[in-house]
């Protein structure tokens, strides 16, 4: 694969495409499939055909139970492998930046359609080799959103545009379409899309050779009456913008002279439903906003303010060790945030929240952060694939992120669940899955084979340095947990860091500095890092902006 270098000429690209076509015909003929080259727009191309004689393990496989000839890496081997992969990715970025590919209008490349612009899709787009694939990204939003900082934007600690980055900057050589994917025809390998631009009612089709589903998850209301109508969510920038306005509006309403004391008390009661990271971080950020800013401007009202955190389980932040959970509860107690556990919400009205035990809580503003639900497109796909009948709201994928029951379709992030044990729906998992899948494509594995393998040497420059196994055989995805962080208010945070042997548990002011440094490092561009740092400095010096416009 000498044509892997991005600076190669048009002859190399043309020759490689011919090789892809020949191998595609051989691979499909061996599997008893019909080769269809009749489409003029797109040509279905599969990666290299495996050589069964070279793999003695596959010869022993049975049709019912096929074992993977690759063992999982230890923690430290996995860290070393990721370091090598990162260097490979850096080479791709370097070539793309300094030796941009020569795009030939008549060159035929496999079409890789990506649905979504979240963590998983963004990681894939940054790493994918656009010399090999014609990449089309379909999503209703044309930017990447740093979701862990949504609670900060909802109270004005960080501005909205500081945590978003135009998606086209991730890879300028991909085609972006601002549209919803409303349906997928798996037989015709076609995605049916609708334009998302206001005033434009356009419907079109995108044919693909490979489809990557990374549409994320919706907010799960668990069918609770009134949640959709009366609660605020925290999934998108629009949610944070609405929350920021609504918080100040409650204080403005409570300032009217004709408001009774009882109504004033209700208006200034803020309820957060859900004791996970999103709910707890928003409650903490809201407390800081109330104490550090609103108290100065509404001193007469502050005695009626209260923040409630409702959790249906026995404790909050259950992803953390019990000792850290207790520290979070103690910090909330000192912050006068009332945590109510075993509080299952059964109904939400415009003025009250009803719990399972019959308790009614008057509120002025309610934020629902109780869990992830299923996107409409994911539900539609699940209904169309018989092999997905056992799925619980997420597309079942194998160890190589291939969707069970269909060919040439992959899923990752919050909309996918790996068998047999699903991984947590976090940005960390999604980001690693996106980069992993991009490397599978870049290294020219036979993704339709039971165990993806490459005929000959892997095209990754440093593949031989990866520990464990042969670089010609694709390793299954293995999540490298680096730990978890959570902000708990009053410039304090918690951290649980994985070392492979034991967990390092931290909490307090110094951990807050670690939390800030990690969130700055994880920003997707230098621009975002500068903007977030400036916002933090501005908030500390001038306070949060409460202007309504």
């Amino acid at each position: 694969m000498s044509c892997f270098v991005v600076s190669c000429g048009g002859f190399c690209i043309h020759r490689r495409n011919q090789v892809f076509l020949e191998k595609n015909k051989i691979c499909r003929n061996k599997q008893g499939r019909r080769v269809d080259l009749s489409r003029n727009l797109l040509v279905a191309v599969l990666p290299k055909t495996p050589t069964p004689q070279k793999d003695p393990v596959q010869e022993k496989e049975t049709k019912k139970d096929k074992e993977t000839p690759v063992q999982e890496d230890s923690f430290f081997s996995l860290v070393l492998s990721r370091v090598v992969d990162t260097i490979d990715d850096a080479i791709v970025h370097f070539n793309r930046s300094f030796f941009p590919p020569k795009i030939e209008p008549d060159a035929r490349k496999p079409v890789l359609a990506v649905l979504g612009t979240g963590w998983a899709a963004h990681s894939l787009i940054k790493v994918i080799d656009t010399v090999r694939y014609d990449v089309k990204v379909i999503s209703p939003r044309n930017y990447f959103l740093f979701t862990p900082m949504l609670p900060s934007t909802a109270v004005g600690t960080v501005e909205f545009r500081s945590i978003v980055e135009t998606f086209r900057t991730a890879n300028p050589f991909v085609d972006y379409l601002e549209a919803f994917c409303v349906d997928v025809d798996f037989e015709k390998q076609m995605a049916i899309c609708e334009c998302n631009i206001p005033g434009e009612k356009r419907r079109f089709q995108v044919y693909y050779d490979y489809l990557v589903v990374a549409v994320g998850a919706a907010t799960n209301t668990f069918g609770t009456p009134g949640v959709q109508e009366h609660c605020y969510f925290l999934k998108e920038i629009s949610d944070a913008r609405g929350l920021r306005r609504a918080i100040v509006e409650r204080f403005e309403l409570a300032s009217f002279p004709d408001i009774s004391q009882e109504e004033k008390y209700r208006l200034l009661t803020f309820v957060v439903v859900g004791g996970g990271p999103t709910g707890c971080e928003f409650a903490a950020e809201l407390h800081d906003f109330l104490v550090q800013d609103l108290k100065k401007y509404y001193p007469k009202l502050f005695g009626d303010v209260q923040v409630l955190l409702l959790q249906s389980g026995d404790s909050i932040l259950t992803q953390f060790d019990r000792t850290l959970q207790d520290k979070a509860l103690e910090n909330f107690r000192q912050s006068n945030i009332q945590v109510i556990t075993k509080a299952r919400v059964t109904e939400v009205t415009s003025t009250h929240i009803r719990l399972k035990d019959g308790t009614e809580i008057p509120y002025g503003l309610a934020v629902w952060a109780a869990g992830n639900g299923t996107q409409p497109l994911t539900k539609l796909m699940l209904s169309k694939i018989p092999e997905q009948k056992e799925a619980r709201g997420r597309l079942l994928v194998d160890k190589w992120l291939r969707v069970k029951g269909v060919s040439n379709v992959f899923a990752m992030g919050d909309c996918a669940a790996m068998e047999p044990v699903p991984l947590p729906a976090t940005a960390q998992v999604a980001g690693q899955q996106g980069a992993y899948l991009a490397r599978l494509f870049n290294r020219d594995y036979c993704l339709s084979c039971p165990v993806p393998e490459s005929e000959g040497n892997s095209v990754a420059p440093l593949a031989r340095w990866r520990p464990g196994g042969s670089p010609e055989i694709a390793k299954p995805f293995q999540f490298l947990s680096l730990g978890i962080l959570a902000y708990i208010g009053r410039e304090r945070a918690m951290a649980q860091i994985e070392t492979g042997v034991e967990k390092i548990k931290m909490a307090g002011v110094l951990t807050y500095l670690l939390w800030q440094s990690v969130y700055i490092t994880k920003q997707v561009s230098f621009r975002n890092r500068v903007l977030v740092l400036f916002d933090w400095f501005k908030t500390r010096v001038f306070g949060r902006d409460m202007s309504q416009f």
Side-chain angles (χ1 to χ4, degrees), residues 216-224 227-228 231-236 239 272-280 309-313 318-319 344-345 367-375 392-394 414 424-426:
T219 302
N220 193 351
T221 64
F222 302 98
T224 306
V227 171
Q228 199 71 42
C231 290
Y232 288 85
F233 303 114
L234 206 51
K235 277 286 188 183
E236 299 289 344
D239 298 330
V272 182
V273 182
T278 301
C280 289
L309 179 62
L310 307 183
Q311 167 68 334
S312 60
T318 54
Q319 301 89 339
R344 193 171 196 84
V345 178
V367 178
W368 188 272
N372 291 331
T374 308
Q375 292 281 14
R392 297 184 177 181
R394 300 167 71 182
D414 294 355
T426 64

Side-chain angles (χ1 to χ4, degrees), residues 196-445:
N196 185 47
I197 300 175
E200 295 290 336
K201 296 182 179 180
R202 297 177 182 271
R203 193 179 180 95
F204 57 94
Q205 296 82 34
V206 175
Y207 290 93
Y208 64 85
D209 297 297
Y210 302 102
L211 177 68
V212 178
V213 184
V215 295
T219 302
N220 193 351
T221 64
F222 302 98
T224 306
V227 171
Q228 199 71 42
E229 296 82 5
H230 306 296
C231 290
Y232 288 85
F233 303 114
L234 206 51
K235 277 286 188 183
E236 299 289 344
I237 279 291
S238 57
D239 298 330
R241 185 183 293 112
L243 257 175
R244 189 164 163 180
R245 184 178 184 87
I247 293 169
V248 179
E249 283 179 348
R250 298 306 182 270
F251 279 85
E252 297 295 350
L253 281 172
S255 300
F256 288 175
D258 59 338
I259 296 293
S260 66
Q261 184 61 37
E262 182 181 0
E263 181 68 4
K264 187 178 300 183
Y265 177 82
R266 182 189 69 81
L267 285 171
L268 299 179
T269 298
F270 301 90
V271 179
V272 182
V273 182
T278 301
C280 289
E281 289 198 339
F282 176 75
E285 291 279 3
L286 177 60
H287 164 267
D288 292 350
F289 184 33
L290 296 172
V291 173
Q292 297 172 7
D293 296 279
L294 294 178
K295 186 177 182 179
K296 294 185 297 185
Y297 298 105
Y298 303 94
K300 297 179 181 179
L301 300 176
F302 205 75
D304 297 318
V305 174
Q306 66 171 343
V307 179
L308 305 180
L309 179 62
L310 307 183
Q311 167 68 334
S312 60
D314 297 331
S315 183
I316 61 173
L317 296 171
T318 54
Q319 301 89 339
F320 289 84
D321 184 82
R322 185 69 194 188
T323 57
L324 292 178
Q325 296 177 32
D326 293 339
K327 287 182 180 294
L329 286 169
E330 175 61 21
N331 191 73
F332 281 161
R333 186 189 66 78
Q334 295 177 7
S335 303
N336 292 323
I337 298 175
Q338 186 178 351
V339 179
I340 305 176
T341 57
K342 298 182 180 180
R344 193 171 196 84
V345 178
T346 57
E347 186 182 2
V348 179
T349 68
S350 59
T351 57
H352 290 76
I353 293 177
R354 294 190 178 94
L355 304 182
K356 188 176 181 180
D357 61 4
T359 304
E360 289 194 357
I361 301 174
Y363 76 94
L365 184 145
V367 178
W368 188 272
N372 291 331
T374 308
Q375 292 281 14
L377 179 63
T378 307
K379 289 181 181 179
L380 182 60
M381 288 184 175
L382 292 174
S383 66
K384 297 176 71 171
I385 306 173
E387 290 82 356
Q388 296 283 337
K389 63 181 180 180
E390 297 180 359
R392 297 184 177 181
R394 300 167 71 182
L395 291 164
L396 296 177
V397 298
D398 66 7
K399 297 179 180 180
W400 294 273
L401 306 183
R402 298 176 294 194
V403 175
K404 181 180 178 181
V406 288
S407 59
N408 296 347
V409 180
F410 304 80
M412 55 187 182
D414 294 355
C415 67
M418 283 186 65
E419 293 186 307
V421 181
L423 293 169
T426 64
Q428 191 177 167
V429 171
Q432 292 185 26
Q433 286 181 334
Y436 166 82
L437 189 56
R439 295 177 192 124
L440 284 188
F441 284 113
N442 290 352
R443 292 168 185 175
D444 196 23
Y445 289 109

Side-chain angles (χ1 to χ4, degrees), residues 172-184:
F173 299 102
V174 304
D175 295 327
Y176 171 77
L177 303 173
E178 187 171 338
F180 285 96
C181 179
V182 296
D183 197 2
V184 176

Side-chain angles (χ1 to χ4, degrees), residues 113-153:
V114 182
L115 307 181
T117 52
W119 283 90
H122 187 267
S123 296
L124 182 144
I125 294 304
K126 286 178 63 179
V127 179
I128 196 67
D129 185 2
T130 48
V131 173
R132 294 172 165 270
Y133 298 95
D134 181 11
V135 183
K136 299 183 183 297
V137 179
I138 304 165
S139 175
R141 68 181 194 193
N142 68 345
Y143 57 86
F144 167 79
L145 170 63
F146 192 83
T147 50
M149 296 195 75
L150 271 177
S152 297
T153 63

